[in-house]
Amino acid sequence: MHPTAYPMRAIAACTLAIAALSACGSESTSTALPPPPPAPPAVQQGSWQPAWSDEFDAATLDTARWNALEDCWGGGNEERQCYTARPENIGIENGLLVITAREEDFTGPAWPASFGPAGVDTSERATKPFTSGKLTTQGIASWTYGRFEMRARLPQGQGVWPAFWMLPEDSAYGSWAASGEIDILEAVNLGVECGTCEPGGENSILGTLHFGGQWPDNKYHSTEVSMPQVLDDEFHTYGVIWEQGRFTWTFDGQAFATAQASDWFTTATSDPNAPFDRPFHLIMNLAIGGRLPEDRALGGVASEGFPKRMEIDWVRVWKCDADAATGQGCSGN
């Protein structure tokens, strides 16, 4: 998610550590792409052991593994989409999970269902000019340490924001960002050509941690790298290795960023590994608009090329052996 402060209204309403990654024109027709070429099978590496996965081989989304969220909140980033569970926005095609963003006016819940305890009006409605999909494993599966990967083909265009990330399951250290946030992959405005963009089109990917105090005293550690391969319309694997006191972000199995315990903290405790020592759940979403994409490249959201498709071949999680000296984490794998 974008490392800038959230609007006061959104943060004041939030009692859980919820964040989101999260313009009119004619909608083009959507042509289903062929299935991707087979990926190499999951292979045990060192002491890593498969712990959880979804290969998206069923006919429909496995609701025993995923929640499909429904709200028009905008994630506190002024994103322009309503998330829905409709098949128009979330579906399975030829062994792929497809999250589709569409340009269409839609009215839905103004707030996520989990905002209820904060005293917001859960009956309030909002209308946004786009729809899309967001999936989480909250309340279903969460992990402390491990290797987390997604093989996906990302959409392109000004204002388009696909993401693969994690939030704390129980917000033990307080609301965002005191309990942390792990952004495994973010990319904005892919393929856009502009005076400040990379040659051949915008192609950066980001890996980020959010931590520190509760908003507005939040901090972040972020790495953004140019990765021209993401524009080749092929599938790539995006991942993070989360060990005790260390993160390593990967692209197609190769590390491109790291962080260690001295790079983060939480105001809730002096424990050097906190807040990244508690269970986190997975999130995948395709946001349209918001501060991060709209403040970059050509600005705003371009209406060309909708619908936009984020296609996921699989998501996999590996566990690891504990550190021999401490009995914790999965250090040094």
Side-chain angles (χ1 to χ4, degrees), residues 2 79 157-161 187-189 287-301:
H2 184 30
E79 297 160 18
Q158 177 66 42
V160 177
W161 188 357
V188 296
N189 306 328
I288 301 298
R291 291 191 183 91
L292 183 57
E294 294 197 53
D295 289 347
R296 293 182 171 207
L298 299 177
V301 177

Side-chain angles (χ1 to χ4, degrees), residues 92-139:
I92 303 293
E93 299 180 18
N94 295 322
L96 300 175
L97 168 66
V98 181
I99 300 176
T100 303
R102 298 181 177 276
E103 188 175 24
E104 56 180 344
D105 288 342
F106 190 89
T107 300
W111 302 99
S114 54
F115 275 23
V120 302
D121 182 358
T122 56
S123 66
E124 184 179 353
R125 310 285 283 178
T127 300
K128 295 289 181 71
F130 296 91
T131 61
S132 190
K134 180 178 183 180
L135 301 170
T136 85
T137 65
Q138 186 174 20

Side-chain angles (χ1 to χ4, degrees), residues 16-106:
L16 300 177
I18 298 179
L21 293 176
S22 313
C24 292
S26 60
E27 181 175 283
S28 63
T29 58
S30 175
T31 302
L33 294 169
V43 176
Q44 177 182 335
Q45 298 183 6
S47 58
W48 293 104
Q49 303 288 339
W52 184 94
S53 70
D54 196 341
E55 308 295 320
F56 305 112
D57 292 332
T60 60
L61 180 72
D62 186 349
T63 55
R65 286 185 170 92
W66 301 100
N67 309 297
L69 301 194
E70 298 184 276
D71 67 73
C72 301
W73 174 42
N77 298 293
E78 299 181 7
E79 297 160 18
R80 302 190 186 212
Q81 78 287 321
C82 288
Y83 289 123
T84 91
R86 304 178 309 163
E88 292 91 336
N89 296 116
I90 299 173
I92 303 293
E93 299 180 18
N94 295 322
L96 300 175
L97 168 66
V98 181
I99 300 176
T100 303
R102 298 181 177 276
E103 188 175 24
E104 56 180 344
D105 288 342
F106 190 89

Side-chain angles (χ1 to χ4, degrees), residues 126-290:
T127 300
K128 295 289 181 71
F130 296 91
T131 61
S132 190
K134 180 178 183 180
L135 301 170
T136 85
T137 65
Q138 186 174 20
I140 298 174
S142 60
W143 305 267
T144 306
Y145 310 120
R147 191 167 103 238
F148 306 86
E149 292 184 342
M150 171 187 73
R151 186 172 188 252
R153 177 159 46 199
L154 304 181
Q156 301 182 19
Q158 177 66 42
V160 177
W161 188 357
F164 177 47
W165 51 301
M166 304 179 77
L167 279 177
E169 186 71 4
D170 58 11
S171 300
Y173 297 114
S175 62
W176 193 89
S179 291
E181 175 182 323
I182 304 165
D183 297 338
I184 304 170
L185 161 77
E186 294 177 278
V188 296
N189 306 328
L190 289 177
V192 172
E193 297 184 22
C194 70
T196 59
C197 297
E198 294 93 350
E202 188 73 30
N203 58 49
S204 291
I205 60 174
L206 297 94
T208 304
L209 299 177
H210 295 266
F211 50 86
Q214 300 181 52
W215 183 90
D217 297 320
N218 50 292
K219 305 294 182 182
Y220 67 92
H221 180 284
S222 186
T223 300
E224 181 172 1
V225 298
S226 175
M227 199 69 70
Q229 301 96 306
V230 301
L231 302 183
D232 62 10
D233 200 33
E234 298 294 340
F235 282 78
H236 296 284
T237 301
Y238 305 89
V240 72
I241 299 170
W242 173 20
E243 302 170 278
Q244 183 178 358
R246 182 171 61 190
F247 286 88
T248 304
W249 286 264
T250 62
F251 174 82
D252 286 343
Q254 300 300 310
F256 71 87
T258 61
Q260 56 188 6
S262 59
D263 294 319
W264 68 73
F265 69 96
T266 176
T267 55
T269 177
S270 60
D271 187 322
N273 292 314
F276 302 110
D277 60 350
R278 298 294 183 106
F280 279 60
H281 58 264
L282 285 170
I283 306 169
M284 297 184 294
N285 67 291
L286 175 54
I288 301 298

